[in-house]
Every structure is written in structure tokens, then in C-alpha cells.
Amino acid sequence: MKAIICTKYGSPDVLQLQEVEKTAPQDDEVLIRIYAASINARDWRFMRAKPFFVRLMPGGFLQPKNKILGADLAGRVEAVGRNVRQFKPGDEVFGYLPSATGRGTFAEYVCANENAITLKPSNLTFEQAAAVPLAAITALQGLRDNGNLQPGQKVLINGASGGVGTFAVQIAKAFGAEVTAVCSTRNLEMVRSLGADHVIDYKKEDFTQNGQQYDLILAVNGYHPISDYLHALKSAGTYVVAGGSMFQLIQAGSQGRRVSKSGGQKAYVESLVHSQKDLEFIKELLESEKIVPVVDGCYPLSKTAEAFWYFEKVHPKGKVVISVA
Ligand SMILES: NC(=O)c1ccc[n+]([C@@H]2O[C@H](COP(=O)([O-])OP(=O)(O)OC[C@H]3O[C@@H](n4cnc5c(N)ncnc54)[C@H](OP(=O)(O)O)[C@@H]3O)[C@@H](O)[C@H]2O)c1
């Protein structure tokens, strides 16, 4: 099968299209013919080995251990292991692979545990479906599980126009929140069209200094010290950080525990939990058109390196998709 191989750590130029052996499914796995995949920050980090400790994880110290990147997928089941009960050959599915599996979706085929996928939403193309799983579930778990989001609450999403942020805006609206979206000038209209009640251009206004306070802040990108976020939170508000610089994550992790113990405000660093139930919940939101994926661009598998250059240089609106079929 054809696959994009990450030959060493480095710029997107290390990604090369090669012919590799197609694997067979284990007893509890399905073999999926991939039609589309999408890029997440996680793939970029494993390619660049940034931050450095990626090399200490299953990534491999001197060179990537998992040579095929990619977590999100949409495709068709080609074969099933003998213990698989949920799927049969021909089913159209979507989902994402936990990073521990050591497998990647920038390829024509992948084997996945049957719990990593569910049936593809019937109203989406494969390209649209592949743009959803990891980003949408990060947004869902950040808002609902860490943030305990309730209808009517005031929520601010910092980093609202990227992969996670575009889903966070829509999911927060679907939960009945009043949503303030923070992004740059060029994306204000897009996040408004996704349902944001208020938009803030981070290039012109610092939301931590404008006197507004929120029940929940989801920081898809840190970009402020935790003290600024706490300043913009109500006294019983919750701050959830999903992404940002290593310093911001460590600071939020260490100070967050102390803040949360003090009784009033709470602060958490989100850690994605793999959940087929959440994937099914997201599927329902998609089929009822409460959320839609935002796809910035779509590249053929052979141009995956180009797609990563775009991902790295531009802040994509929503997701960058790789079309494999
Ligand atoms: N914790 C977890 O379990 C988990 C799971 C998945 C992902 N993540 C993390 O979540 C993050 C999500 O990545 P993503 O692909 O959605 O988006 P991203 O590329 O990290 O962020 C894009 C967003 O940040 C905004 N932004 C850029 N510079 C900014 C600044 N100086 N101030 C405020 N906002 C700024 C962008 O706005 P403009 O484009 O309008 O400039 C855009 O809305 C990544 O860091 C990823 O590692 C965490």
C-alpha cells in the first residue's frame, strides 16, 4: 500500500510517499481502506519532535519509531477480525487512533481496534468526516467534562478559528451557552457564522483586560499567563487549557491544582480520553447539523508534505484534510 513515511524528524520535507506492506487485522481489529485523513497539531509535533520530550515518548529518540503519522480517518471497512461485532466489510466509518497504537492514517489502509471508530455520519463526505474526530472530541471533553458547561453560561473560546476552536464554538452553542470567540481579524466573520454571539480580535483587544468575566474559558491556545485567565473568570468560574506552549501548560498544571483546591475558581489542563461514546455523540451533533466541520483545504496523499507546510505556515481555518482515495 502507499503511505506517507516520516523518514526522520524535521520539516515537512521529511515526509515521503512510499510503498509499504499492508497489515492484516488482529482478532479485535478492523482493516480500513482510508479515503481521507486530517492533520492535527499532534502529527506536526511528532514530525518536528517539538517539544523535545516527544523523543522520549513512543516517538523514538533519534528517529521516529512510528513512521506513519496521522490519527483521524474516514473510510470503508475492508475486513474484520474474528471477534469484531460492531462492523462488517463495506461499512463507512470514521474515528481516530490513540497515539499509543503506533499506527498512522496518512496511508491507504490502517488496522484499528473496533472501539476507535463508529459509522460515518450519513450527511458528510469522507473528507468532511475525516476533519472531525480528534478536534471535535477535544472540544467536547474540554467544555463538558473539564468545564462542566451548563446552558446559559458565558463561555470564552481563545483560539476559536482553528481545528479545535471551530468545534468548540459550535458545541458550546449546542449546549446553550453564550459564546465569545477570540481569533484574528481575518477569521472573525467565519467564527460569527458558526454561531459565536460575540467575537474579539486578539490583534486589537486583550480580552483579559476588558472587564468582562466568564463562567468558563477554554484556551485552545494558551497565549496568556494563568493569572490573566483567572482575572477574566467569575469567582466560581473554570479555566480549561487544551493547548499552548509547554510553559503555559506546565504553569496551568501546577498552579491549577492549587487554584482548584482553594474552593472558588477551577483550572485544568485537558487530557484527551479516547471514547467511542463521545465519537457517537459527535456523530449525532453532525447528523442533526448542530455542528459542521470547517475544512480549510484538501490535499492528495502525494502532497501531504505540502499540506504540512501550509498547516505550519498559515493558521488554517478549521482543518487541513488529506484525500487518500
Ligand atoms: N489537551 C488535549 O487533550 C489536546 C487534544 C488535541 C489537541 N490539543 C492541542 O490543542 C491545540 C489545538 O490546535 P488547533 O489546531 O485547534 O489550533 P492551533 O493552531 O493551536 O490554534 C489556532 C487558533 O489559535 C489562534 N491564535 C493564534 N495566535 C494567537 C494569539 N497570539 N492569541 C490568541 N489566539 C491565537 C488562531 O487564531 P487565528 O488563526 O485567527 O490567528 C486560531 O484560532 C494544539 O495546541 C493541540 O496540541 C490538545
Side-chain angles (χ1 to χ4, degrees):
M1 67 171 186
K2 289 189 176 54
I4 295 295
I5 303 300
C6 186
T7 52
K8 55 185 176 180
Y9 292 124
S11 79
D13 293 338
V14 302
L15 302 176
Q16 290 171 14
L17 184 69
Q18 291 183 11
E19 200 65 42
V20 297
E21 205 177 318
K22 185 173 150 188
T23 54
Q26 306 280 314
D27 290 351
D28 57 353
E29 288 181 342
V30 295
L31 173 67
I32 302 164
R33 169 69 170 99
I34 298 172
Y35 289 166
S38 73
I39 301 178
N40 288 291
R42 181 173 104 177
D43 306 315
W44 181 87
R45 289 189 209 292
F46 278 111
M47 178 191 74
R48 282 280 186 189
K50 282 189 180 169
F52 186 81
F53 78 75
V54 160
R55 291 171 186 257
L56 307 176
M57 296 162 68
F61 191 72
L62 294 175
Q63 54 174 312
K65 199 162 149 200
N66 172 24
K67 296 200 179 319
I68 307 178
L69 301 176
D72 284 330
L73 69 90
R76 200 182 295 273
V77 174
E78 184 159 295
V80 300
R82 62 179 171 184
N83 295 339
V84 169
R85 296 284 169 268
Q86 302 176 56
F87 304 100
K88 59 182 184 319
D91 284 346
E92 295 182 351
V93 295
F94 81 135
Y96 73 98
L97 307 180
S99 55
T101 60
R103 293 162 179 176
T105 59
F106 301 140
E108 288 181 318
Y109 293 90
V110 77
C111 288
N113 185 286
E114 64 171 335
N115 294 322
I117 54 173
T118 195
L119 293 176
K120 179 178 84 64
S122 50
N123 56 336
L124 297 193
T125 64
F126 287 104
E127 282 75 15
Q128 289 173 313
V132 175
L134 202 143
I137 290 177
T138 303
L140 173 68
Q141 293 182 356
L143 292 166
R144 183 198 60 190
D145 303 344
N146 295 115
N148 190 25
L149 179 59
Q150 301 298 319
Q153 284 190 330
K154 284 178 71 174
V155 179
L156 180 133
I157 316 287
N158 190 29
S161 57
V164 176
T166 48
F167 285 112
V169 169
Q170 299 178 80
I171 292 170
K173 284 305 295 176
F175 275 61
E178 181 185 328
V179 178
T180 299
V182 182
C183 60
S184 66
T185 322
R186 70 193 176 99
N187 291 325
L188 294 176
E189 272 320 303
M190 189 262 293
V191 294
R192 212 177 256 129
S193 75
L194 296 176
D197 301 286
H198 316 282
V199 293
I200 293 178
D201 182 346
Y202 67 74
K203 296 197 168 179
K204 296 191 178 144
E205 184 182 340
D206 181 350
F207 74 86
T208 66
Q209 303 300 325
N210 68 5
Q212 291 292 319
Q213 288 192 313
Y214 301 91
D215 297 290
L216 171 61
I217 296 177
L218 177 65
V220 174
N221 249 322
Y223 290 119
H224 286 278
I226 187 171
S227 53
D228 281 3
Y229 283 109
L230 298 180
H231 184 66
L233 269 186
K234 292 184 184 175
S235 55
T238 305
Y239 164 54
V240 180
V241 57
S245 71
M246 203 32 62
F247 173 75
Q248 284 153 342
L249 292 170
I250 291 169
Q251 192 197 38
S254 56
Q255 293 190 29
R257 263 192 294 276
R258 187 172 47 75
V259 169
S260 300
K261 272 189 193 155
S262 70
Q265 297 174 323
K266 295 190 175 55
Y268 302 109
V269 178
E270 181 179 356
S271 178
L272 188 68
V273 179
H274 202 276
S275 164
Q276 190 187 39
K277 221 168 128 201
D278 284 354
L279 190 60
E280 281 159 4
F281 183 77
I282 291 292
K283 174 179 183 281
E284 283 168 27
L285 290 179
L286 290 160
E287 287 183 333
S288 58
E289 294 179 5
K290 292 201 170 97
I291 64 172
V292 291
V294 176
V295 176
D296 185 300
C298 193
Y299 293 75
L301 184 66
S302 58
K303 296 238 159 75
T304 300
E306 217 173 282
F308 269 81
W309 275 119
Y310 181 80
F311 181 84
E312 183 172 288
K313 287 190 169 153
V314 182
H315 291 160
K317 289 184 202 316
K319 296 297 300 284
V320 176
V321 169
I322 305 297
S323 179
V324 185

